Amino acid sequence: MIRAAVLMAALLLGSLPAFAQEIRVRSGEHGDFTRLVLDLPRDMQWRLSQPEARQAEIRFETGGYVFDFSDVFARIDRARVADLSVLAEGSGIRIDLACACAASAFLLRERMLVVDIRAGTPPLPEPSPPSPASKALSELRVGPDVGIGPPPAENALLPAFSLPTIADTGSVPAEAPAIDPGAFERMLSEQLATAATEGLLNPALRDLLRPNAARDASPEVYEDSVSGTGDAASTARTAIEAAIAGQDPYDLQSRIRIGGTACVRDDRLDLASWGGDETLETIIPELRARLYGEFDRLDPEVLIALARAYLHIGFGAEARALLELDPELRDPVLVALAGIVDGEADGAGVFAGQTDCDGFAALWALAGAPALPEGAEIDGDAIRRAFEKLPLNLRSLLGPRLATRLAEEGQPGVARNLLLQLARATGETSEDMVYSAAKIDRLEGAVDEARDVLEAFAARAGEHAPDAVAAAIEIATERREPVGARMTELSAAYATELRETEKGPELWRAHLRAMIANGEYEEGFASFWNADDIPESIRVAAAGEALILLTEQAPDTAFLKQTVSRAAAFDGLVEPKATLAVAERLLNLGLSDEAASWADLTGADRAARRTRLLTARIHLARSEPEAAEIALIGLQGEDVLRLRAEARRMMGDFDYARTAYDKLGEPQRARSAAWLAGDWPALDDAQDTLGATAALVRADLPNADETLPSLALAEQLAGTGAETRAALRALLEDTRLPSD
């Protein structure tokens, strides 16, 4: 038996390479589009193309893959996807389309290729890849010779520095200084690197250069952008500009910095010197009167001075509008300051990565960053010093927000000092400061104190009331407490009233939290399915919260009603934590197939320990011990050993199961496995039915070979028979099935 188990394990392990090459294709209907999902090996290169109007292809850099289409058409009809087939040599798949549809694809969590097919015009053929020469112009160089572009050397792409001839100009040209092409290239690379570092390089056609953006523009704009004709801005597109525009704009805080200065200089951020007590009444009117000079020409110096004066008093929108009057004078530092003063993020990344600077830049970097990358350092002392030098009106405007950001980034002490400093300077404690202090309390764990303040803000009209309602509901749901009727009503009112505003999605999410926390599952999930106008990122987060609350607190009937038939509808809208929670409860209720549907949703990390344990449990519930063993390969721990012991028990390897249960400290299961394995010595010492039965099995019968049995032998045989009958009766009684 042991040899058979070892042989089976060897066969299973030997088949793993072939198993790893299989790519499963899953599907789902999502209203106006059909979604296919391919589970790819990590770092696998792919390309989507649509060579024909009704045919799309996904090709991989290598072949030899096996594709599993078995469940695709169980979840979707053939209205958009007519058929799927494998390309030659297993190098990809072909999607036959049943409509005039366009296919698009993206990679989710590095391992899931998501392909969406919706009605529309097929995309234009992809442009040919840039030549190696043009690609070299946009490459970053690090090391002793940092910069952008090729290293200093003769470059065929550099312009020829030939002077015009007499025949071309009709006159003798003045002698021009000689220009070294290598020096020119080095200077250009350094300047580009510095500009990129300080946020000064901002291609005018960034939107047109994003993937698919040009096709969404008007035909005239798209034609100009691809043909090279049109205005001067279009003709100025270069390989360097295209490469910079193609970078991910959402992670400016962690971008690579080469060349240039690491921090914006203090003399460019000295807002206290840009105005005075009479800025609004005297300085600004005077500068506005001098803004246009002779022939209605803008005075550059006056324009910059006026923009700085507006920033001094906290008028960010006015400063930004003024800077737009002359794009050539549009200082990116001033533009970034204008946005931050108005509560916006530093979208251009002018202050990206400067929270550790020993100067004014640290303050503006923190104020302009809604979130920082993990491990980012913050110089709290520099922020405090910079804050002290701001004009008082800017301290009142920025102080509460800065304090909250400091607490969010793990510096609550500096945050409280900032609020105390502001209270001393202004002589009062404003509502903004009280609200910020409540948020700091919550971050530090003083949730009860924070909740009281937030509910007080929520109960009265004011700027912070909607945010306070959302925060109070979040605290209640985190504690798994019902949400009060008043908060539920307020969240419903604000979610409706502010639906079209920036705060609308979060207030909708807060109201959904309140309904689910209060057991209003039908109403809550109806609200979720009718929220197509809510951004998908908010819907994903809200779905996860709602499902976890449902899983933890809903009765079985309500839980099953919202989950059993809706796995496909939630595909792509639920985070892995929620999908696994739902799957685990379904499995505990004995619904292994439904649990498998949830565990198989898009986004679940197949390699994660929790996912693999759940998969093994599902296989065991389906009486598939071999598949459970495969799911557990490489994992260690008592929970893994317990599942593996059950799988081996189901496969008949009772010796392994007994040893495993002994190691886990589960004697009853170990004795049961020993009984099934026929390991009678292991049961001898047990003072129970199995021990007594094992002792009888091992006991020797009396020697009855004598020609004339003695009376003693007869008595001995009778006693042995009585013991046997008693042991069998006890064994039958212990294993009796319940009457119900």
Side-chain angles (χ1 to χ4, degrees):
M1 184 180 296
I2 295 177
R3 288 198 299 272
V6 172
L7 178 60
M8 182 178 293
L11 290 174
L12 290 173
L13 290 172
S15 65
L16 283 179
F19 177 78
Q21 297 297 317
E22 183 178 80
I23 296 178
R24 186 180 179 191
V25 182
R26 294 177 285 118
S27 62
E29 292 289 355
H30 294 268
D32 62 343
F33 68 94
T34 299
R35 172 165 291 179
L36 302 176
V37 179
L38 287 76
D39 298 319
L40 303 183
R42 191 175 296 277
D43 299 328
M44 184 173 178
Q45 300 299 315
W46 58 272
R47 180 170 62 87
L48 171 68
S49 62
Q50 201 159 341
E52 299 180 12
R54 299 217 171 189
Q55 192 177 91
E57 293 181 351
I58 301 173
R59 291 186 177 272
F60 304 119
E61 60 179 347
T62 58
Y65 296 99
V66 176
F67 297 89
D68 180 5
F69 301 140
S70 58
D71 294 334
V72 171
F73 292 104
R75 295 188 176 184
I76 64 174
D77 54 28
R78 297 180 185 264
R80 299 187 185 94
V81 178
D83 198 8
L84 296 174
S85 56
V86 181
L87 296 177
E89 299 180 355
S91 60
I93 65 172
R94 177 179 293 110
I95 307 171
D96 294 325
L97 305 176
C99 61
C101 295
S104 61
F106 62 92
L107 196 63
L108 180 67
R109 295 181 178 89
E110 299 184 357
R111 298 194 64 172
M112 295 189 183
L113 178 59
V114 180
V115 183
D116 291 339
I117 296 128
R118 50 169 48 90
T121 305
L124 295 174
E126 296 182 358
S128 58
S131 65
S134 62
K135 182 180 179 181
L137 280 174
S138 61
E139 291 181 341
L140 301 179
R141 289 185 286 105
V142 296
D145 183 26
V146 298
I148 299 178
E154 184 177 353
N155 192 329
L157 291 178
L158 288 175
F161 296 95
S162 59
L163 297 175
T165 63
I166 296 177
D168 295 331
T169 62
S171 60
V172 178
E175 183 176 357
I179 301 178
D180 177 16
F184 175 80
E185 181 188 4
R186 184 165 53 255
M187 176 188 68
L188 178 62
S189 297
E190 291 173 354
Q191 290 178 348
L192 285 173
T194 302
T197 296
E198 297 187 354
L200 306 178
L201 194 58
N202 185 22
L205 299 180
R206 176 182 295 272
D207 289 338
L208 283 180
L209 292 175
R210 291 200 323 267
N212 301 325
R215 293 195 295 272
D216 298 333
S218 64
E220 296 81 11
V221 172
Y222 180 68
E223 183 178 353
D224 287 346
S225 68
V226 297
S227 65
T229 62
D231 57 20
S234 297
T235 59
R237 296 173 59 192
T238 63
I240 294 176
E241 186 175 330
I244 294 173
Q247 299 301 311
D248 185 356
Y250 304 109
D251 194 18
L252 294 169
Q253 297 298 327
S254 57
R255 66 184 181 179
I256 297 175
R257 293 177 167 274
I258 56 173
T261 57
C263 305
V264 178
R265 300 190 309 272
D266 283 358
D267 60 354
R268 302 184 67 185
L269 302 172
D270 189 11
L271 275 73
S273 66
W274 294 352
D277 295 338
E278 303 296 326
T279 299
L280 184 60
E281 295 81 2
T282 305
I283 298 177
I284 289 180
E286 178 187 346
L287 290 172
R288 287 181 62 87
R290 294 166 43 207
L291 183 60
Y292 288 92
E294 189 177 4
F295 305 114
D296 289 335
R297 292 180 178 175
L298 279 173
D299 187 322
E301 294 183 1
V302 174
L303 185 144
I304 296 298
L306 183 56
R308 288 178 170 178
Y310 278 131
L311 290 174
H312 177 85
I313 60 175
F315 285 18
E318 289 75 6
R320 186 162 39 190
L322 188 66
L323 293 168
E324 295 292 344
L325 294 176
D326 189 346
E328 294 184 1
L329 300 176
R330 193 171 176 272
D331 185 345
V333 173
L334 295 181
V335 173
L337 291 174
I340 296 172
V341 164
D342 280 349
E344 300 175 5
D346 177 16
V350 173
F351 297 102
Q354 300 180 41
T355 53
D356 59 344
C357 292
D358 185 19
F360 297 164
L363 181 149
W364 297 104
L366 181 64
L372 295 178
E374 186 177 353
E377 296 183 3
I378 299 175
D379 191 332
D381 292 336
I383 292 175
R384 181 181 51 78
R385 291 193 300 269
F387 185 74
E388 290 176 351
K389 296 183 180 180
L390 286 175
L392 183 58
N393 59 300
L394 283 182
R395 277 182 275 169
S396 300
L397 181 65
L398 296 174
R401 194 192 332 156
L402 271 174
T404 303
R405 287 292 295 119
L406 282 165
E408 290 172 344
E409 298 299 337
Q411 298 205 20
V414 180
R416 292 193 184 281
N417 287 336
L418 209 68
L419 291 178
L420 290 174
Q421 176 184 338
L422 180 58
R424 288 194 298 269
T426 59
E428 62 178 4
T429 301
S430 67
E431 285 198 349
D432 289 345
M433 296 162 64
V434 174
Y435 188 74
S436 176
K439 295 174 75 173
I440 296 171
D441 284 339
R442 183 185 173 192
L443 290 169
E444 282 195 294
V447 180
D448 290 328
E449 294 83 349
R451 187 176 188 174
D452 292 341
V453 176
L454 292 171
E455 289 181 349
F457 272 101
R460 61 178 185 267
E463 176 187 357
H464 298 296
D467 294 331
V469 169
I473 291 175
E474 186 177 3
I475 290 174
T477 54
E478 286 176 352
R479 292 184 159 193
R480 300 301 187 259
E481 299 173 356
V483 178
R486 176 63 174 161
M487 287 297 160
T488 304
E489 293 171 0
L490 285 172
S491 65
Y494 282 129
T496 302
E497 178 184 348
L498 303 177
R499 184 77 172 224
E500 304 299 327
T501 69
E502 183 181 350
K503 294 183 178 181
E506 284 297 338
L507 291 167
W508 167 84
R509 179 180 173 187
H511 184 51
L512 176 62
R513 279 195 189 113
M515 287 189 288
I516 301 297
N518 291 338
E520 300 172 13
Y521 307 117
E522 289 286 342
E523 297 83 351
F525 283 98
S527 171
F528 175 81
W529 295 116
N530 293 324
D532 294 336
D533 58 326
I534 301 298
E536 185 167 350
S537 60
I538 302 294
R539 293 189 73 205
V540 169
E545 294 166 350
L547 286 171
I548 288 176
L549 286 173
L550 176 78
T551 302
E552 291 180 357
Q553 66 186 32
D556 289 344
T557 304
F559 169 75
L560 295 173
K561 186 174 183 179
Q562 299 299 332
T563 57
V564 167
S565 62
R566 287 186 169 175
F570 276 109
D571 194 19
L573 290 175
V574 190
E575 296 172 340
K577 179 181 178 182
T579 62
L580 295 180
V582 172
E584 286 169 351
R585 180 166 177 182
L586 287 169
L587 184 59
N588 292 337
L589 291 172
L591 302 173
S592 57
D593 291 340
E594 289 74 11
S597 297
W598 276 88
D600 202 32
L601 292 185
T602 302
D605 185 358
R606 303 287 182 271
R609 178 186 176 86
R610 183 180 177 186
T611 307
R612 294 174 65 185
L613 290 176
L614 177 61
T615 302
R617 289 181 58 202
I618 291 172
H619 285 307
L620 291 175
R622 290 172 160 182
S623 298
E624 299 168 349
E626 296 87 355
E629 280 270 34
I630 292 175
L632 297 172
I633 290 175
L635 297 181
Q636 300 294 330
E638 288 191 357
D639 48 358
V640 177
L641 183 59
R642 185 172 290 105
L643 293 175
R644 188 172 283 125
E646 178 63 16
R648 294 294 184 90
R649 187 194 66 78
M650 293 174 69
M651 288 189 288
D653 188 356
F654 302 115
D655 289 325
Y656 179 95
R658 181 189 62 78
T659 304
Y661 286 131
D662 272 336
K663 185 175 181 181
L664 291 168
E666 299 182 11
Q668 187 60 39
R669 289 191 174 188
R671 287 197 299 272
S672 176
W675 170 269
L676 294 171
D679 188 0
W680 312 122
L683 300 170
D684 267 351
D685 297 333
Q687 301 300 316
D688 56 12
T689 304
L690 294 181
T693 306
L696 285 173
V697 172
R698 299 188 68 206
D700 294 329
L701 291 173
N703 185 7
D705 293 338
E706 300 178 11
T707 305
L708 295 174
S710 64
L711 181 61
L713 177 61
E715 291 178 350
Q716 188 176 1
L717 287 172
T720 302
E723 291 177 2
T724 302
R725 288 193 300 273
L728 290 175
R729 287 193 186 98
L731 187 61
L732 290 171
E733 187 64 30
D734 287 348
T735 57
R736 181 189 299 274
L737 294 176
S739 58
D740 55 354

